[in-house]
């Protein structure tokens, strides 16, 4: 396999973007990534998208997006793994470059969620229709059950969950792309309305429109396009049962651990080598479980990480300096790419107000469903 | 829910028919072709006892549209005496009292309606034993 | 004659008091309670209907019968609140009970009499030798219009009976039916609530049919009211069955065990069958039992049963009626009741 580098990134503002359509979002992010690499030649495109079909009634996104980018003729296809669609699109693009089949491959994630669809219902299709949705569960409900199990096993409290949200908003307030750029107090979080016990509104990521894009090429050609290439050290992916009931331990996101370990092994690094990480905090409990599964803290210690500053800027392992899905927003198909964009910017020293000093190796972890799919990428500045 | 999709789930939903792996003994509800624990394809049919214990739970305050008038309602991962685990609602009690370890009976209930004119969809829910 | 080999009942766990309903409409609760002898009634949850009640009662009946469900050759469900206008309740119930597919199934409707009607036909199928076992169920989630006298009584519940030829819990000794066209209570196709003829529902309807059927079966069987340990008559409210009993010479003591209406309300097709289940819960071997149903329109079915030696050992195999009546889980406000009974207009 060839070594692969990132040579361009792009991202729209995240939020309720009433004036932008699914294709508008995609084109803006993709053009931005292509422009930053200074090329107009693309060999292949992967579109990360969870559910254009249900959100806006549009499937067959590969040719649609290629056409609207003025790249008709280029091979293009959509990649879907629910909320991990973006991460899986990046993995597909990475594999195509690494294999030697193509040189310049674009991975772009996009989701248009605010167009009148029943968002709760659409998102629920990422869980098991027959065994979970049928009985009335929602996504917040599934993560609430994970939270209850974590509380039961490790003594995690509602306050522990709330510190994760406080940290997210503190970081997100400094991110110009974020949907909710405002600081939230512990009291704000703990008095927000209950969505699914014990999760409150401010423990949940919002409904977001947005897109993000990354352009890849072989590492040995990267200097043609950029002074600051970032190398992809590893791509690790895994699956677990779609149903929460069939997990060995509902307090444990085993899929994240499996995908993380595969990525660490491929990169030849350990969790201690990671300087900055973006993890899939679709709900506050998810960040706690992901930090444990990725080895940033011991099992059961995730509950204290945000409160004690372990995962804060300046802490042992800064997590979700972008504000995470919570504050930055969670356009589901775009999230995996947007996480990678944040990590890549950090490794290039372009993290702005939330730059982690001396960051050399970074990790992005993107998850689908209630922990049924996960993909981890590890990056290194060159 | 379209009738064909509903119809094929009837044995599991109405009678709690499940599968048991002949090789490793894992009980799967609903039944599957391949055992996720040992990959055996040797399965036998078993019926779950209509009772169980709560493994983990939540109370849904913001429900899907179909369940709007039922909120807030408790949902739980339930384990039957045979070791099968599945998700369902827990009703006929204060949802706040539902938590890990709670003993349940499983009763046949209306789960959802396909709008005002579509089919009625049934299955089992937990009630405190 | 064949008889009952298994029985079971189910009553939803929500209640609303007569007082709460009276308060909603500015009526005097004490007058209502004195006039109708109704303290409270059962209310179905949003997830309960005639089908779910039938399944719960049917499972208890099979548990007491202890028979292979596959041997049940006929299933009849009587109700005036079948959830589908077109499509049988019975098919759903049979799948849930593990009956069939080699089985004869029908849904019956005869206002409040549909329950004993299904029992009568089930019994006849066994008696005719067409099937080994047959199940008859009476269940309803009754509708009463808001601010109508019916609202104090219309409730939810039902009972199921398995009939067979051997290992009887109670023999059926005699049956008798009395029917005429008497439009005292009706609901037209597409209408949400039933309507009734006010006091016309009394003498020409309820009392005429209940008494004609009861006196008819006594006459044919040669029994006197005093021969019976227990009697149960259809219970549209608390007062009617007690008045009918008194007129015919039945005592308060004979009526008490089956008179469940003050706590349960009127479960329409489930009413007298549930009263009978309450009696079977406590009856001793050789006790004689009389049941007379009533359905508007109008007609009554009467049965005379005798408990067997097998009954006592079957009584504890499933939940008992009085235990269900005495363990409500929630008392509803009128607002909660209106929501559960879908009396509030909401958007789709």
């Amino acid at each position: 396999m060839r070594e692969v580098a990132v040579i361009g990134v792009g991202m729209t503002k995240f939020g309720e973007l009433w004036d932008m359509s699914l294709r508008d979002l995609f084109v803006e992010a993709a053009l931005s990534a292509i422009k930053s690499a200074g090329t107009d030649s693309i060999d292949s495109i992967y579109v990360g998208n969870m559910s254009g079909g249900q959100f806006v009634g549009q499937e067959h996104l590969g040719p649609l997006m290629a056409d609207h980018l003025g790249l008709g003729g280029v091979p293009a296809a959509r990649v879907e793994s629910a909320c991990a669609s973006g991460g899986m699109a990046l993995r597909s693009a990475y594999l195509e470059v690494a294999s030697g089949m193509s040189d310049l491959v674009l991975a772009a994630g996009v989701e248009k969620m605010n167009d009148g669809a029943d968002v709760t219902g659409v998102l629920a299709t990422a869980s098991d229709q027959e065994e979970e949705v049928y009985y009335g569960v929602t996504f917040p409900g599934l993560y609430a059950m994970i939270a209850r199990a974590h509380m039961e096993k490790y003594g995690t409290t509602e306050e522990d969950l709330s510190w994760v949200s406080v940290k997210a908003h503190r970081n997100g307030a400094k991110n110009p792309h974020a949907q909710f750029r405002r600081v939230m107090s512990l009291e704000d979080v703990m008095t927000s309305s209950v969505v699914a016990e014990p999760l409150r509104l401010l423990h949940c990521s919002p409904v977001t429109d947005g897109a993000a894009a990354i352009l890849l090429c072989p590492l040995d050609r990267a200097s043609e396009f950029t002074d600051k290439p970032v190398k992809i050290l590893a791509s690790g992916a895994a699956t677990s049962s779609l149903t929460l009931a069939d997990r060995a331990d509902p307090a444990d996101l085993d899929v994240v651990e499996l995908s993380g370990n595969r990525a660490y092994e491929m990169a030849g690094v350990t969790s201690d080598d990671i300087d900055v990480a973006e993890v899939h905090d679709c709900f506050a409990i998810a960040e706690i479980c992901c930090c444990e599964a990725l080895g940033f803290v011991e099992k059961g210690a995730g509950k204290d990480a945000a409160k004690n500053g372990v995962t804060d800027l300046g802490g042992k392992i800064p997590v979700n300096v972008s504000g995470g899905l919570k504050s930055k927003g969670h356009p589901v198909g775009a999230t995996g790419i947007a996480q990678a964009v944040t990590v890549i910017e950090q490794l290039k020293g372009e993290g702005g107000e939330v730059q982690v000093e001396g960051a050399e190796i970074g990790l992005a972890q993107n998850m689908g469903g209630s922990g049924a799919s996960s993909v981890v990428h590890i990056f290194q500045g060159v | 829910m379209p009738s064909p999709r509903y119809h094929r789930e009837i044995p599991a939903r109405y009678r709690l028919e499940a599968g048991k792996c002949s090789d490793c003994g894992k009980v799967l509800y609903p039944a599957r072709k391949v055992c996720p624990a040992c990959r055996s394809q040797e399965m036998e049919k078993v019926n779950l006892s209509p009772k169980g214990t709560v493994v983990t739970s939540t109370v849904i305050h913001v429900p899907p549209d179909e369940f709007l008038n039922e909120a807030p309602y408790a949902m739980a991962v339930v384990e039957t005496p045979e070791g099968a685990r599945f998700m369902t609602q827990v009703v006929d009690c204060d949802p706040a009292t539902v938590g890990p370890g709670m003993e349940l009976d499983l009763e046949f209930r209306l789960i959802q309606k396909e709008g005002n004119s579509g089919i009625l969809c049934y299955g089992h829910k937990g009630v405190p034993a | 004659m064949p008889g009952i080999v298994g029985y079971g009942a189910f009553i939803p766990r929500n209640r609303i008091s007569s007082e709460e309903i009276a308060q909603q409409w500015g009526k005097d609760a004490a007058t209502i309670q004195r006039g109708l002898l109704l303290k409270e009634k059962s209310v179905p949850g949003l997830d309960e209907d005639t089908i779910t009640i039938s399944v719960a009662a049917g499972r208890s009946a099979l548990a007491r019968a202890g028979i292979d469900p596959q041997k049940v050759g006929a299933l009849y469900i009587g109700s005036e609140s079948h959830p589908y206008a077109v499509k049988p309740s019975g098919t759903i119930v049979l799948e849930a009970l593990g009956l069939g597919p080699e089985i004869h199934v029908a849904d019956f409707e005869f206002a409040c009499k549909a329950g004993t009607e299904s029992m009568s036909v089930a019994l006849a199928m066994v008696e005719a030798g067409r099937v080994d076992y047959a199940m008859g169920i009476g269940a309803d989630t009754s509708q009463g219009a808001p601010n109508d006298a019916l609202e104090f009584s219309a409730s939810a519940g039902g009972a199921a009976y398995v009939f067979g030829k051997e290992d009887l819990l109670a023999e059926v000794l005699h049956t008798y039916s009395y029917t005429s066209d008497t439009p005292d209570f009706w609901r037209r196709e597409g209408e949400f609530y039933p309507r009734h003829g006010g006091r016309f529902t009394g003498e020409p309807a309820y009392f005429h049919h209940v008494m004609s059927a009861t006196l008819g079966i006594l006459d044919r069987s040669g029994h006197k009211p005093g021969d019976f340990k227990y009697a149960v008559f259809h219970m549209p409210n608390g007062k009617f069955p007690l008045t009918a009993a008194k007129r015919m010479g039945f005592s308060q003591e004979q009526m008490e065990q089956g008179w469940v209406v003050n706590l349960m309300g009127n479960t329409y097709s489930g009413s007298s069958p549930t009263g009978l289940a309450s009696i079977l819960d406590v009856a001793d071997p050789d006790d004689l039992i009389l049941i007379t149903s009533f359905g508007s329109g109008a007609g009554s079915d009467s049965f005379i049963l005798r408990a067997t030696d097998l009954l006592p050992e079957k009584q504890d195999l499933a939940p008992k009626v009085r235990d269900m009546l005495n363990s409500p889980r929630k008392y509803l406000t009128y607002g909660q009741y209106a929501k559960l009974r879908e009396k509030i207009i909401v958007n789709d």
Side-chain angles (χ1 to χ4, degrees), chain C residues 4 10-11 47 70 95 110-111 120 123 139 152 185 190 194-195 201 207 211 231 251 262 266-267 269 294 298:
Chain C
I4 295 166
F10 183 80
I11 301 161
D47 59 357
Q70 285 293 308
E95 290 272 7
F110 193 142
S120 190
L123 174 70
F152 290 97
F185 169 103
R195 291 181 57 176
T201 60
F207 290 103
M211 292 176 65
S251 70
N262 65 323
N266 178 8
T267 57
S269 303
F294 170 73

Side-chain angles (χ1 to χ4, degrees), chain A residues 118 129-138 141-142 144-145 148-149 152 194-197 245-248 250, chain B residues 1 5-6 13 30 32 56-62 64 67 73 75 85-89 100 111-112 121-122:
Chain A
D118 166 20
Q129 277 295 315
E130 304 297 355
E131 307 313 321
E132 294 181 323
V133 180
Y134 181 76
Y135 295 98
V137 84
T138 59
L142 289 165
M145 282 188 246
R148 276 262 175 91
E152 184 81 0
V194 178
V195 176
E197 295 178 29
D246 288 311
R247 307 275 166 75
Chain B
M1 172 169 311
R5 213 183 102 197
Y6 179 71
R13 295 224 175 104
R32 299 184 186 193
T56 183
S57 67
T58 182
V59 181
I60 306 267
H61 289 259
V62 181
F67 296 87
Y73 54 87
M75 294 212 70
R85 286 187 177 188
F86 67 100
M87 171 120 20
T88 192
Q89 287 188 29
I111 305 295
Q112 55 171 287
C121 304
Y122 295 86

Side-chain angles (χ1 to χ4, degrees), chain C residues 49-332:
Chain C
D49 58 24
T50 287
I51 289 169
T52 66
I53 291 167
S54 296
V55 170
R59 283 179 175 169
S60 288
L62 287 171
R64 284 197 173 100
I67 59 166
D68 175 3
Q70 285 293 308
K71 290 188 174 163
V72 177
L75 170 67
Y76 305 110
I77 299 177
S79 180
E80 59 103 78
S81 53
H82 289 292
Y84 285 96
V86 176
K87 192 205 172 299
S89 299
T91 52
I92 297 169
V93 175
L94 82 87
E95 290 272 7
L97 294 179
L99 315 182
E102 293 182 314
I103 185 169
H104 184 247
V105 172
D107 284 7
F108 293 151
E109 185 280 316
F110 193 142
C112 296
K113 190 181 82 78
T116 55
E117 203 165 75
S118 66
M119 292 162 65
S120 190
V121 176
L123 174 70
M125 287 289 277
V126 174
E127 196 176 359
R130 291 268 299 271
V131 299
D132 291 335
Y133 296 100
M135 184 181 283
I137 299 176
D140 258 310
T141 53
S142 324
Q143 286 288 358
N147 202 13
D148 184 284
L150 277 182
E151 195 177 23
F152 290 97
S153 59
S155 66
Y161 290 86
V162 183
F163 294 91
K165 283 180 172 156
E166 292 163 7
D167 298 329
L168 307 181
L169 318 183
E171 304 165 63
V172 178
L173 303 178
H174 302 276
T175 64
Y176 180 73
S177 293
Y178 186 92
T179 312
S180 76
D181 189 30
T182 310
D184 62 316
F185 169 103
W186 62 91
R187 179 166 64 83
R188 292 263 300 275
E189 184 70 44
E191 292 296 304
F192 196 64
Y193 297 116
R195 291 181 57 176
H196 57 82
R199 291 187 62 78
F200 185 68
T201 60
E203 292 301 336
Y206 180 85
F207 290 103
H208 177 69
H209 292 84
V210 166
M211 292 176 65
S212 297
T214 305
L215 296 173
I217 202 170
L218 290 179
D219 182 49
R220 292 189 170 215
S221 66
H223 283 295
K224 303 180 298 297
D227 297 343
F228 296 91
K229 179 75 182 287
Y230 302 102
V232 58
F233 304 130
H234 174 57
M235 295 164 274
N237 54 52
K239 206 159 192 176
F240 276 22
L242 298 183
T243 303
K246 201 169 173 183
R247 285 190 194 173
M248 292 185 288
F250 289 89
S251 70
Q252 182 79 17
E253 204 184 349
Q254 286 168 298
M255 297 298 295
E256 210 133 89
Q257 182 64 26
W259 189 75
V260 291
V261 62
N262 65 323
L263 296 176
M264 182 175 81
N266 178 8
T267 57
Y268 286 29
S269 303
S271 174
S272 52
T274 304
L276 175 61
S278 171
I279 289 168
L280 292 174
D281 283 341
V282 300
D284 293 317
D286 295 326
D287 284 348
L288 273 187
I289 302 161
L290 172 74
I291 169 176
T292 300
S293 64
F294 170 73
S296 290
S300 287
D301 297 325
S302 282
F303 301 75
I304 291 174
L305 303 101
R306 182 166 58 212
T308 70
D309 293 343
L310 198 56
L311 179 61
E313 69 187 67
K314 298 282 191 177
Q315 287 165 337
D316 291 331
L317 296 182
K320 295 179 179 175
V321 173
R322 290 282 172 188
D323 291 341
M324 286 186 272
L325 284 176
N326 292 331
S327 55
R329 296 242 170 103
K330 187 175 186 182
Y331 281 90
L332 304 170

